[in-house]
Amino acid sequence: MAGGRVFCIGNGESRRDYNLQNLRQYGKIYGCNALYRDFTPDVLTAVDQGIMHEVYHAGVADKIPCYFRDWTKVPHLMYDMLVMSGLADEDKHMLKDILVANEKGDSKEFVMHGAKLEGLVKMIKKNGETYDKNVNNATLKVSWISEDDQSHSLMDVMVDEDGDKTTPKDHGWSCGPTSGYVAVKKEQPKEVFLIGHDLLSATKFINNMYKSTKHYTASQNGPTPAVNWIRQWYTLFRWNPDIKFYKVNQFNDGRDAVNSPIEEWENNKKLPNVEYISYSTLDNMLVL
């Protein structure tokens, strides 16, 4: 509903014990990437090839709208030409390791990402006939589009904000800020709450709910640099001065990097539409 509330859910560990289900009655919930493994939002966004196809293969886009990067649906008659051409019959036994796809069924369209099968086979056979199925984890990813499909390309909603505001333009943002952009465009909200978008880490290790799982960095790695997330969210705030954005911290008391203001945002006095609140403050706001 235009003018209402939107909750943008990130996968920072600060949201681990927060019950997202409680938010449903208060506004639309927009999520990122592997959130679907534990919770079904109203809309899900993914921008990296592996997780996009994981989401689709899990049937998420049959249930809720999903927005993906470079998500071009191709007629099924193009499959052999685009995917299978150049692959010798004797090499087709490798398909189980280099082609990641869902069941075709009666699908009339598909989406593909990754290297062409012919090139992948040549790479894994570069040492004579030696076949290493784990070489670089290189795969071609294919999603056959289902009858109940609700998947969309980001180009369906993203436009040139600093230009004519009508020309389609994917800004190349990370998933979190991209989900915020989609939420703003689709819902036209009055308030946006950033939950689990920790941006920084309170420890010397990566801060992510799904670390050490498929398509995510190992838990022993250091924190992911936050500079792009911080700049991209800042740009979204600047483009939407009439929307109030709340960054929800677990405690918001400055005890660590996650529970403190973002320095780059604070150094710019042109962001009156950004406020920091704690989870307890959020709960109180929702019942008023």
Side-chain angles (χ1 to χ4, degrees):
M1 179 178 65
R5 288 170 167 162
V6 167
F7 304 99
C8 288
I9 312 302
N11 295 324
E13 295 175 62
S14 72
R15 71 163 177 82
R16 185 181 304 281
D17 298 320
Y18 191 80
N19 188 351
L20 299 178
Q21 194 66 37
N22 291 340
L23 300 173
R24 289 203 186 276
Q25 61 183 308
Y26 301 110
K28 286 289 187 72
I29 302 174
Y30 277 65
C32 298
N33 295 325
L35 172 64
Y36 84 91
R37 297 176 186 172
D38 307 302
F39 176 82
T40 302
D42 294 301
V43 179
L44 189 73
T45 298
V47 300
D48 295 325
Q49 295 178 9
I51 192 67
M52 289 191 306
H53 288 275
E54 176 191 318
V55 167
Y56 202 88
H57 295 178
V60 179
D62 291 344
K63 304 171 184 175
I64 62 172
C66 293
Y67 288 84
F68 301 134
R69 172 157 291 142
D70 298 325
W71 195 253
T72 302
K73 298 169 187 176
V74 180
H76 69 106
L77 295 175
M78 301 289 289
Y79 182 78
D80 285 344
M81 182 182 74
L82 294 177
V83 178
M84 303 298 291
S85 63
L87 186 65
D89 288 341
E90 63 267 24
D91 293 329
K92 290 184 178 179
H93 68 282
M94 299 182 185
L95 290 179
K96 66 182 185 303
D97 294 309
I98 60 177
L99 175 61
V100 177
N102 56 345
E103 291 294 327
K104 178 182 178 181
D106 296 325
S107 178
K108 303 302 182 186
E109 294 179 304
F110 68 96
V111 175
M112 61 173 286
H113 291 99
K116 193 174 179 181
L117 288 178
E118 180 184 15
L120 290 173
V121 168
K122 287 180 179 178
M123 181 182 69
I124 62 179
K125 293 176 66 178
K126 62 184 177 181
N127 295 321
E129 289 300 314
T130 301
Y131 171 43
D132 178 4
K133 69 178 181 180
N134 295 316
V135 61
N136 295 329
N137 292 316
T139 57
L140 176 69
K141 301 167 185 68
V142 171
S143 285
W144 290 101
I145 302 303
S146 71
E147 182 179 350
D148 298 322
D149 174 59
Q150 297 184 61
S151 68
H152 305 274
S153 170
L154 290 174
M155 293 291 281
D156 294 341
V157 66
M158 295 190 103
V159 297
D160 184 0
E161 296 288 344
D162 291 320
D164 60 13
K165 299 187 186 300
T166 59
T167 302
K169 180 181 179 180
D170 184 343
H171 303 291
W173 288 359
S174 302
C175 190
T178 296
S179 72
Y181 182 100
V182 175
V184 165
K185 286 297 183 181
K186 300 301 292 184
E187 307 300 333
Q188 302 176 36
K190 181 179 179 181
E191 297 176 316
V192 175
F193 295 83
L194 279 60
I195 298 173
H197 288 283
D198 294 347
L199 305 181
L200 303 172
S201 178
T203 72
K204 63 179 181 179
F205 299 109
I206 186 172
N207 175 4
N208 193 286
M209 291 281 291
Y210 303 105
K211 57 191 177 185
S212 287
T213 67
K214 188 174 184 180
H215 300 128
Y216 281 86
T217 303
S219 59
Q220 65 268 28
N221 284 15
T224 303
V227 60
N228 286 335
W229 298 331
I230 290 171
R231 288 175 180 173
Q232 291 160 10
W233 277 113
Y234 168 80
T235 301
L236 187 65
F237 302 155
R238 177 174 62 82
W239 283 342
N240 296 279
D242 296 329
I243 297 176
K244 186 63 174 286
F245 292 87
Y246 295 92
K247 185 180 184 301
V248 184
N249 297 328
Q250 187 174 9
F251 302 107
N252 199 38
D253 57 5
R255 68 179 64 186
D256 53 40
V258 173
N259 289 286
S260 298
I262 301 301
E263 181 178 355
E264 292 86 343
W265 298 348
E266 291 301 291
N267 289 341
N268 192 309
K269 303 304 181 183
K270 298 179 181 179
L271 288 177
N273 58 332
V274 178
E275 185 176 334
Y276 305 88
I277 61 174
S278 65
Y279 280 114
S280 59
T281 300
L282 170 62
D283 291 340
N284 290 332
M285 290 176 64
L286 295 180
V287 298
L288 291 179

